[in-house]
Amino acid sequence: MTDSISEKPSQSPEASVGLDEFRIAGHTFESRLILGSGKYDSFEVMRESFEVAETQCVTIAVRRERLHDSSGRNILDFVDPKRFVLLPNTAGCYDADTAVRCAKMGREILRGLENPGADWVKLEVLGDSRSLLPDPIELLKATETLVGQGFQVLCYSSDDPIVARRLKDAGATSVMPAGSPIGSGLGVINRNSLQIILEDLKQGDPDYPVIIDAGVGTASDVAVAMELGFDAVLLNTAVARADAPVRMAEAMKHGVKAGRLAYQSGRIPMSRYASASSPEVGVISKRNQ
Amino acid sequence: MRKAFAGVFPFKKRIAFNVIDVTINGKKQACDKGLTIVELLDSLGMNSRAIAVEINQQLQPRDTHCLVEVNDGDILEIVTLVGGG
């Protein structure tokens, strides 16, 4: 008896050879790994991690300029805005109005830098500082407002399939459910809901980008997310706080590639029982029932 | 206008007329009356490409910074980019 738990992707075998580009919000990336720029011990380690990970898209936050501290080092000296597409976030916002203001300020800064990331935003509207899970109602409100103002909105969302659908319906460019809480390192803990989200959002719209954002602890988590069929993974803490961030960045790069290839290859169905790899005819021993 | 000394100074040192009260990034400050956003940023040493300015929760587009004057009681947010996920 075959107990088929996970479905195969619909692509035909060996179909996609060559470039496997990731298209989102008018950008085309070869890398499906988006890295955050927070929590690194130094800008130097951050820069090297981005280098090794071969990421092309980096998230950044908008914060008050410090009034009386001119240590002078700015993150832009280490993340060349001519080379990386910057994805400004609204991290730390707990209501729609503040998130919208934050998004507009991010856009204004990136326009000044002539960075192609100016018109998009990673929209975070948090509901609670302990779980850092999104407030779905404020998130939807902010999405509607920002879409109305011409933003490409990438929504950091919970793993609720209904919320995900509502965000897409509101015009979100991408829905980005958390694998688990931000910075928790728990990995992908609710596969079933995430698979429902993928099925729902991609039904009749297979190129709609759905990204796992948050929760990754290690490279296998990234591979799992990609195997499920997510288009990309966004992570920060798992690299920045690893003992060896640069090496972990390399691991994440391979994790994304391995998971993506596996997804495209169509995995075998799961079965409760074994299926011998060696021929069953011509066996010299007596069969043991 | 005392352009030569134009700028922002600690709230407590506020001296009489030609000076207004503003709140910059949550902190009360005094500054010369009639300063434009650009002049204010200059006096704070913040006039870089990588900032955005809000006055009373309204974004002030960069190309208006040399025209818009800061008024008494204004609440300013001056933000930049930092590392984040």
Side-chain angles (χ1 to χ4, degrees):
Chain A
M1 187 199 85
T2 299
D3 185 9
S4 181
I5 295 169
S6 105
E7 282 174 32
K8 286 190 179 193
S10 54
Q11 281 111 326
S12 72
E14 317 297 348
S16 78
V17 251
L19 274 185
D20 175 35
E21 288 171 334
F22 169 43
R23 291 194 174 84
I24 181 167
H27 306 292
T28 303
F29 300 119
E30 281 167 44
S31 165
R32 291 172 179 271
L33 180 58
I34 302 172
L35 288 179
S37 57
K39 286 186 173 175
Y40 284 89
D41 280 342
S42 73
F43 283 140
E44 286 79 5
V45 171
M46 178 193 74
R47 178 169 58 192
E48 206 185 335
S49 300
F50 294 166
E51 204 66 46
V52 166
E54 293 174 14
T55 185
Q56 295 166 298
C57 177
V58 167
T59 66
I60 31 121
V62 174
R63 286 292 179 273
R64 282 175 167 170
E65 179 69 283
R66 283 169 297 186
L67 282 178
H68 301 293
D69 176 12
S70 48
S71 58
R73 301 222 309 175
N74 187 291
I75 190 165
L76 294 171
D77 298 332
F78 295 86
V79 189
D80 182 0
K82 301 272 174 273
R83 190 174 149 201
F84 295 95
V85 177
L86 300 178
L87 173 55
N89 70 26
T90 62
C93 293
Y94 285 81
D95 63 89
D97 291 345
T98 313
V100 168
R101 284 171 53 207
C102 190
K104 285 169 145 178
M105 289 195 276
R107 175 163 72 176
E108 177 69 11
I109 297 174
L110 292 195
R111 278 181 177 165
L113 299 170
E114 293 172 15
N115 188 272
D119 284 338
W120 70 353
V121 62
K122 172 184 154 175
L123 181 61
E124 268 184 43
V125 191
L126 304 174
D128 166 55
S129 63
R130 190 154 177 242
S131 67
L132 296 181
L133 288 171
D135 177 328
I137 294 157
E138 293 294 306
L139 179 63
L140 184 60
K141 235 162 66 178
T143 303
E144 287 166 346
T145 306
L146 289 170
V147 168
Q149 297 187 11
F151 278 88
Q152 306 259 14
V153 184
L154 284 62
C155 296
Y156 162 66
S157 166
S158 66
D159 58 8
D160 184 327
I162 308 302
V163 170
R165 196 187 302 162
R166 292 289 297 269
L167 292 169
K168 185 185 175 191
D169 290 347
T173 294
S174 172
V175 178
M176 309 198 293
S180 51
I182 294 174
S184 70
L186 292 172
V188 176
I189 57 174
N190 193 351
R191 278 189 204 207
N192 194 51
S193 286
L194 293 171
Q195 277 172 310
I196 293 173
I197 290 175
L198 280 169
E199 268 184 35
D200 254 20
L201 301 191
K202 285 179 172 289
Q203 192 167 30
D205 189 7
D207 295 331
Y208 186 79
V210 190
I211 298 168
I212 276 282
D213 178 3
V216 164
T218 187
S220 55
D221 299 331
V222 165
V224 165
M226 295 306 292
E227 284 170 15
L228 290 176
F230 283 93
D231 295 277
V233 175
L234 196 169
L235 64 94
N236 186 345
T237 310
V239 168
R241 302 312 301 165
D243 286 346
V246 177
R247 199 173 298 181
M248 186 58 94
E250 185 173 8
M252 295 303 184
K253 173 181 77 179
H254 293 302
V256 167
K257 285 186 178 167
R260 179 67 183 172
L261 282 171
Y263 168 71
Q264 292 173 317
S265 307
R267 56 153 302 150
I268 60 165
M270 290 186 193
S271 159
R272 188 160 291 131
Y273 297 104
S275 165
S277 302
S278 306
E280 297 195 42
V281 290
V283 177
I284 58 169
S285 69
K286 271 189 184 168
R287 175 161 300 222
N288 182 356
Q289 298 292 335
Chain B
M1 232 185 300
R2 303 170 303 152
K3 284 286 177 189
F5 305 102
V8 181
F9 29 90
F11 187 62
K12 59 183 177 195
K13 287 191 187 159
R14 169 181 221 266
I15 7 155
F17 45 80
N18 283 348
V19 168
I20 56 170
D21 301 336
V22 292
T23 304
I24 302 173
N25 289 354
K27 198 173 173 204
K28 262 197 160 179
Q29 308 262 314
C31 82
D32 289 310
K33 200 175 173 183
L35 289 187
T36 63
I37 296 174
V38 166
E39 288 166 337
L40 179 94
L41 291 173
D42 277 341
S43 70
L44 291 167
M46 286 183 182
N47 216 345
S48 86
R49 285 180 312 150
I51 55 142
V53 179
E54 245 189 5
I55 297 180
N56 303 327
Q57 306 202 352
Q58 293 300 310
L59 181 72
Q60 306 296 315
R62 183 172 303 270
D63 54 9
T64 67
H65 287 189
C66 55
L67 304 171
V68 174
E69 285 186 8
V70 180
N71 293 308
D72 190 43
D74 277 353
I75 297 172
L76 284 94
E77 293 289 348
I78 305 170
V79 297
T80 188
L81 299 178
V82 300

